[in-house]
Amino acid sequence: MRLPIITLSLILSLCGTEVFAQDELVASPSTTTGEEGTSSYRSRKFLNLTLGIEHDEKLPPIPDNVEFKGDFRKIVTASYAKDLNIIRFNPKREGFATLTIHDKKNGKIVAEFRIDIKKSKLDKVVREMRALLGDIEGINIKIVNDRVVVDGQILLPKDLARIYNVVQQFGDQASSLVTLSPLAQKKIAEFITRDINNPEIEVRAVNDKIILQGWANSEEESKRAEIIAKTYLPDIVIEAAEEKGVIKKRKPANDGVINLIQIKEAAPKPPSKMIQLVVHYVELSKDYSKSFKFQFTPELGDNSQMTFQTGGSSAGGVISSITGTISNLLPKLNWAKQHGHARILESTSLIVEDGKKGEIKQVTNQPYSVIGPDNTQGTAFAEVGIVTAITPVLLGEKSGSIHMDMNFKVSSLVGNTPNGAPITSANEMTSTVVVRDRQSAAVGGLIRNSTSTGYNRPAGQKNPIISLYASKDFNKQQSQFVVFVTPIVKTSASSGAEQIKKKFRLRD
């Protein structure tokens, strides 16, 4: 039985046919049915080894207790790694031998190897190429048909360029059949999927292209996914057959990324928040006066008179009397102190939509008469009151801060002119503040502040004997207008209506 097999191996080797990995399943000639009633098979493989080059062979599933038989020890040493189920051959000399693996339990052959070892001048080339390319995973360097062939599949295009450069150094003695592994494209697709981080976007690798499909929330998200995919694209590899014109590939209409992502229809925006603005107008006025006066100015009044008397029972003659009157003889001391406070408070409230302008106008028209150009009498009006305009903008629902552009105008009646026209004073404030929900902002300042002091202003005296006078008058007036604004964020305009109905006892 061995002679025909040896002859077949030699013939195939001489014809240049690769028999390195030929497997055969051969039925056992002794029996076709085992002890358990199943057919018994053994694995047969032909190995062409080169002297000085180790070779690792993966074994088929074999029993736990086996023994190695055959004449292989005369040309090769074999070491068996049971945990990896791998046998390593280290050729020692040229020749042909057989290795059989037997099951110790029943003695049956479970695997058979026909080993043919030859010496080649390409051994040195193989060793050098393995030294240069040994760190690249997925390749196999072997001698086939008097040529060193590098075969396998790799993950990175840069490794393919390195293999090409090494093979070129050996000229006609070596060639490369290495290609990019399809697993590389799948791995790249996994990396792209991870970086896009959107479960609704699917990334697939098909025919050296990356296909993006699924749903994106916006056009920007779709463009972002395409940019990430282009970043991961490997370099383009041109195979030898394509370079020589044997194969003509279709030119891609894109750069390797096909974007089929569809954009979702934008969801309707939620209704805008409603903001209630509670405004308190406070005008404070303060009057303070203090006066002091000391006066001692006695005056002498002359009441002397002379009369003539004639007739009657008494003798006539001249009658005279001298009379003097002293007034303001006692000193006078006057001291007074007065305080006056006035506070005008008015509150308003309005609800506006977020980002919209709200305005409250509370004015009174004061009529007065006017004379027209043709001496016709008419009536004009002067507006007196408060005008408020506020534009609130909610700075994010989580922040709870509200940006407000505010304008306040207050006009009041001061007096009237001689012809009856009203005299008004107007104060206007414009401000921008940021306030948190349900917190108040005070806007305003001192409007009027006047102080006056008078010294020694006595009233006129006709004939004072002596004059002692001292006085001091102090007056201070302050007025301040302050506006307090409190924003309250509402879910809707009807929020809080139940409390108002309950307060005023209203029913639907």
Side-chain angles (χ1 to χ4, degrees), residues 100-279:
T100 56
I101 302 176
H102 298 259
D103 187 354
K104 286 185 177 181
K105 184 177 180 181
N106 50 26
K108 294 182 179 180
I109 299 175
V110 295
E112 181 180 356
F113 294 96
R114 305 293 177 91
I115 306 169
D116 187 8
I117 300 177
K118 294 181 179 181
K119 183 178 181 182
S120 174
K121 61 181 180 179
L122 300 177
D123 296 343
K124 181 180 179 182
V125 176
V126 172
R127 287 193 298 269
E128 292 178 356
M129 293 186 68
R130 286 183 177 176
L132 295 173
L133 305 176
D135 57 339
I136 299 178
E137 297 182 359
I139 64 172
N140 186 17
I141 304 174
K142 55 189 176 182
I143 300 174
V144 178
N145 196 17
D146 293 333
R147 183 187 291 263
V148 178
V149 178
V150 184
D151 195 6
Q153 292 181 339
I154 59 175
L155 299 178
L156 301 177
K158 65 178 182 180
D159 291 337
L160 189 62
R162 179 179 171 189
I163 294 172
Y164 175 80
N165 293 330
V166 171
V167 171
Q168 289 295 110
Q169 295 179 5
F170 296 95
D172 296 336
Q173 294 180 337
S175 62
S176 174
L177 300 177
V178 179
T179 59
L180 286 177
S181 173
L183 296 177
Q185 294 290 334
K186 293 182 179 180
K187 200 68 178 177
I188 291 174
E190 293 177 3
F191 290 149
I192 296 174
T193 303
R194 182 193 62 188
D195 282 2
I196 292 177
N197 195 21
N198 187 345
E200 296 185 358
I201 297 179
E202 180 185 0
V203 182
R204 295 190 296 118
V206 179
N207 197 18
D208 295 335
K209 294 181 179 60
I210 299 297
I211 298 178
L212 305 177
Q213 60 185 14
W215 295 90
N217 295 322
S218 62
E219 187 68 27
E220 290 75 14
E221 188 175 6
S222 174
K223 292 180 180 179
R224 173 181 174 273
E226 185 176 348
I227 292 173
I228 293 176
K230 290 180 179 179
T231 304
Y232 277 93
L233 278 182
D235 299 331
I236 299 175
V237 178
I238 301 176
E239 298 179 356
E242 181 182 0
E243 184 181 4
K244 294 179 180 180
V246 179
I247 297 176
K248 293 184 179 180
K249 292 187 177 181
R250 298 179 182 271
K251 294 183 179 180
N254 49 61
D255 50 3
V257 176
I258 302 175
N259 191 348
L260 302 179
I261 298 176
Q262 302 181 37
I263 308 300
K264 292 182 179 179
E265 293 185 2
K269 294 183 178 180
S272 301
K273 293 286 186 178
M274 306 302 293
I275 301 176
Q276 180 183 3
L277 300 173
V278 181
V279 186

